[in-house]
Amino acid sequence: MKRIGIFGGSFNPVHLGHTALAAYICEQGLVDEVWMMVSPQNPLKQNLELLDEQHRLAMLQLAVAPYPTLQACDFEFHLPRPSYTYHTLQALREAYPDHTFSLIIGEDNWENFHRWYRGEDILRETPIIVYPRSGSEEVSVPHQLSNANYQLSILKEPPLLPYSSTEVRNAIAAGEPTTDMLHPDVEAYIKRHGFYVK
């Protein structure tokens, strides 16, 4: 059974922090591969700053190319929308019965996990890998989940780079350099298409 970590996000755009974190999770032996899954546009929530999902996928493919253990994944593009994580995981298990899946989320999502659709069912069926905030020494268990059964792994000293996709977009809009934030092929793709320029 191949162990797959599912790392979902808008990746608008994918930056070096995303790929460094995903590669680190593989290096720690928690999973064999990380599938970085692009979240499609939610038709109920229009976001003018959110690029078309095919462009976000194309940039992700460029970003993961140097990493044999990372995959750019468009699985949710083919599911009913809006897609809930519970349904995505169920569909993944049906499509890949020879794989096991873990869910990779940030500490902020873990703190709000009790609000997720069928969150306790996810916990019962899916190991969770949490990456803490920068400088966080430990991650607490939300009291709403204290009686739930789950398998939780907390990353120790993950490579959390000090910027977000929002900060990358703001830097591009301001004409500031992004070389330290983006894979060079992703940076070139953004410049070629004129993305995120105000």
Side-chain angles (χ1 to χ4, degrees):
M1 300 281 278
K2 184 175 283 189
R3 300 169 304 149
I4 307 299
I6 298 300
F7 182 8
S10 296
F11 301 116
N12 186 43
V14 59
H15 56 66
L16 294 176
H18 291 133
T19 48
L21 177 63
Y24 179 80
I25 291 169
C26 294
E27 291 164 7
Q28 294 299 299
L30 295 172
V31 295
D32 301 312
E33 293 180 1
V34 170
W35 293 1
M36 300 178 71
M37 186 173 295
V38 178
S39 302
Q41 170 71 280
N42 183 339
L44 304 177
K45 295 182 181 178
Q46 289 301 318
N47 180 345
L48 298 179
E49 285 198 328
L50 186 61
L51 288 186
D52 178 84
E53 57 210 39
Q54 295 296 340
H55 283 302
R56 290 182 285 125
L57 177 65
M59 289 189 288
L60 187 55
Q61 289 168 333
L62 294 170
V64 302
Y67 299 92
T69 58
L70 306 186
Q71 301 290 330
C73 184
D74 66 354
F75 190 81
E76 284 194 331
F77 291 10
H78 312 290
L79 299 179
R81 302 183 192 186
S83 53
Y84 291 101
T85 300
Y86 173 79
H87 292 148
T88 298
L89 290 166
Q90 294 293 100
L92 282 165
R93 291 190 185 96
E94 185 174 333
Y96 301 96
D98 56 339
H99 294 357
T100 61
F101 294 95
S102 298
L103 184 63
I104 301 165
I105 60 174
E107 183 179 355
D108 54 341
N109 275 318
W110 173 241
E111 290 174 348
N112 290 292
F113 205 84
H114 59 282
R115 296 177 178 163
W116 285 36
Y117 174 74
R118 298 190 69 168
E120 289 200 12
D121 290 328
I122 295 174
L123 290 178
R124 189 164 47 249
E125 300 167 356
T126 309
I128 307 294
I129 300 170
V130 174
Y131 54 92
R133 295 187 189 94
S134 179
S136 178
E137 292 296 320
E138 60 182 53
V139 173
S140 60
V141 176
H143 69 87
Q144 296 92 339
L145 301 176
S146 58
N147 294 321
N149 294 317
Y150 53 85
Q151 181 181 336
L152 179 68
S153 299
I154 309 296
L155 288 183
K156 300 297 183 185
E157 301 179 357
L160 299 176
L161 300 190
Y163 48 79
S164 64
S165 292
T166 299
E167 290 169 302
V168 173
R169 295 195 303 271
N170 290 342
I172 294 169
E176 298 170 356
T178 55
T179 303
D180 293 338
M181 302 178 178
L182 300 171
H183 184 287
D185 290 344
V186 172
E187 187 175 42
Y189 188 97
I190 290 170
K191 288 179 178 177
R192 185 163 67 251
H193 290 277
F195 291 147
Y196 308 123
V197 177
K198 298 291 185 183

